[in-house]
């Protein structure tokens, strides 16, 4: 009868939402969260700029508001995100080389240690691959510290919280394409060399169609020996919206190692995609057709 309960009945999967600490006083929002979802992701509150606003000085108040609520309700928590070239604190944006490398590893260590034991899966590195046909890394000051920065981050996170699943997370990976194949090759290399990666997050910020190989793409990663998670799902409004949400849900159910689905917000009015109405609840908190199609896919599909 709810997204979370129905997902749990399908092999113990979760169905979650990104939430914002600043909205936690909104009773409509909190009632939907508590009724429907059994997993949360902090939309912004666990990012680098939020958690380490000045160097080596940490701030967990808003992240804790979200984490404490989740724990009190038995919801899983996805940690998002230890390292990302966006939403870096001002002090780190101009850094480079070995100074930046040590600052970023310290960040990973301190934040993952602080939340040790509370996080189901961490996005250790977010959006490090380039869009387009290259299949390579995106340029950033993180990348310029050396191509091994991603594995160094995973090793530091593993040392800090050995029981959290450690994920690489990205977008435009919604089918078999150059970008998803570049990530696939990195994961295969990590697995072959014993770099501690446990999962890959597919953000799934989707438009008006779903790639026919969406499920096959999840499956090829699962076949490498990692879990897969749908981490930031939202879908352009339009006649196909409910079908695409259901298609993503069925794809996850059809892949044994797909642990769960997170939508990137609760109501349309909570979405970063302003004016696009890409979520499961309308701005008044009513269930949309997309909600019904997801629930029915969880129960039947
Ligand atoms: O909190 C400040 C507020 O004090 C200030 O007055 C206001 C003025 O702009 O900004 C507020 O911060 C904003 C923050 O969201 C909280 O609302 C930032 O400007 C804004 O950039 C930030 O946007 C977030 C975005 O990541 C940052 O790149 C979105 O909420 C968040 O949904 C979005 O999430 C990302 C994932 O982390 C990674 N994948 C893509 C996804 C969508 O972009």
């Amino acid at each position: 009868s709810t997204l979370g309960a129905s997902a749990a009945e399908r092999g113990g999967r979760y169905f979650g939402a990104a939430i914002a600490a600043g909205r936690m006083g909104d009773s409509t929002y909190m009632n939907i969260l508590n009724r429907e979802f059994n997993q949360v992701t902090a939309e912004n509150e666990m990012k680098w700029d939020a958690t380490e606003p000045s160097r080596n000085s940490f701030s967990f108040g808003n992240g804790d508001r979200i984490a404490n609520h989740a724990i009190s309700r038995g919801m899983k928590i996805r940690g998002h995100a230890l390292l990302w070239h966006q939403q870096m604190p001002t002090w780190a944006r101009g850094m480079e080389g070995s100074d930046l490398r040590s600052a970023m590893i310290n960040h990973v260590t301190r934040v993952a240690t602080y939340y040790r034991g509370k996080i189901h899966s961490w996005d250790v590195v977010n959006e490090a691959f380039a869009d387009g046909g290259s299949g390579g890394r995106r340029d950033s000051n993180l990348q310029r510290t050396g191509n091994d920065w991603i594995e160094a981050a995973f090793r530091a996170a593993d040392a800090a919280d050995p029981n959290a699943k450690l994920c690489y997370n990205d977008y435009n990976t919604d089918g078999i394409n150059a970008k998803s194949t570049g990530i696939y090759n990195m994961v295969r290399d990590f697995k072959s060399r014993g770099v501690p990666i446990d999962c890959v997050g597919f953000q799934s910020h989707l438009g008006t169609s779903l790639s026919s190989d969406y499920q096959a793409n999840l499956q090829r990663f699962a076949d490498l020996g990692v879990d897969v998670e749908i981490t930031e799902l939202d879908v352009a409004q339009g006649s196909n919206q409910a079908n695409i949400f259901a298609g993503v849900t069925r794809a996850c159910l059809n892949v044994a190692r797909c642990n769960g689905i997170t939508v990137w917000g609760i109501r349309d009015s909570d979405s970063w995609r302003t004016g696009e109405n890409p979520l499961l609840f309308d701005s008044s908190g009513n269930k949309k057709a997309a909600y019904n199609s997801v629930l029915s896919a969880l129960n039947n599909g």
Side-chain angles (χ1 to χ4, degrees), residues 46 67 71 77-80 82 105-124 152-167 196-199:
M46 294 188 191
I71 290 164
I77 305 168
R78 295 199 78 259
H80 175 78
L82 292 171
I105 296 300
N106 181 59
H107 180 76
V108 169
T109 299
R110 292 286 302 271
V111 177
T113 299
Y114 181 82
Y115 283 113
R116 173 163 50 209
K118 297 183 174 174
I119 303 293
H120 169 269
S121 41
W122 264 117
D123 291 330
V124 178
F154 275 83
R155 291 188 197 282
D158 184 53
D161 188 353
N163 294 324
K165 290 179 189 286
L166 304 179
C167 301
I197 186 167
D198 304 301
C199 41

Side-chain angles (χ1 to χ4, degrees), residues 2 23-37 69 73 75 266-267 281 285:
T2 67
R23 291 194 159 89
M24 291 178 72
D26 177 332
S27 61
T28 304
Y29 182 82
M30 293 306 283
N31 287 340
I32 299 171
L33 172 67
N34 292 339
R35 185 184 75 225
E36 296 289 342
F37 296 101
H69 181 78
R73 307 284 308 193
M75 299 168 174
I266 294 182
R267 300 162 301 194
F281 295 88

Side-chain angles (χ1 to χ4, degrees), residues 16-19 33 38-42 66 70 75-79 262:
I19 63 168
L33 172 67
N38 60 0
Q39 180 271 329
V40 297
T41 305
I66 291 174
M75 299 168 174
K76 292 186 166 77
I77 305 168
R78 295 199 78 259
T262 307

Side-chain angles (χ1 to χ4, degrees), residues 277-296:
N277 300 324
L279 294 171
L280 299 177
F281 295 88
D282 71 19
S283 297
S284 306
N286 301 307
K287 296 170 180 173
K288 294 166 58 179
Y291 171 94
N292 293 320
S293 75
V294 168
L295 187 63
S296 143

Side-chain angles (χ1 to χ4, degrees), residues 168-184:
Y168 177 80
N169 190 53
D170 217 326
Y171 67 93
N172 282 350
T173 53
D174 313 308
I176 296 174
N177 58 39
K179 185 174 181 179
S180 63
T181 298
I183 297 163
Y184 176 88

Side-chain angles (χ1 to χ4, degrees), residues 43-44 47 80 84 86-87 126-127 203 232 264 272:
E43 189 175 359
N44 290 295
K47 292 172 179 174
H80 175 78
W84 184 24
Q86 287 186 33
Q87 283 181 289
N126 190 46
E127 301 179 11
Q203 293 184 10
E232 304 183 14
W264 204 242
W272 70 292

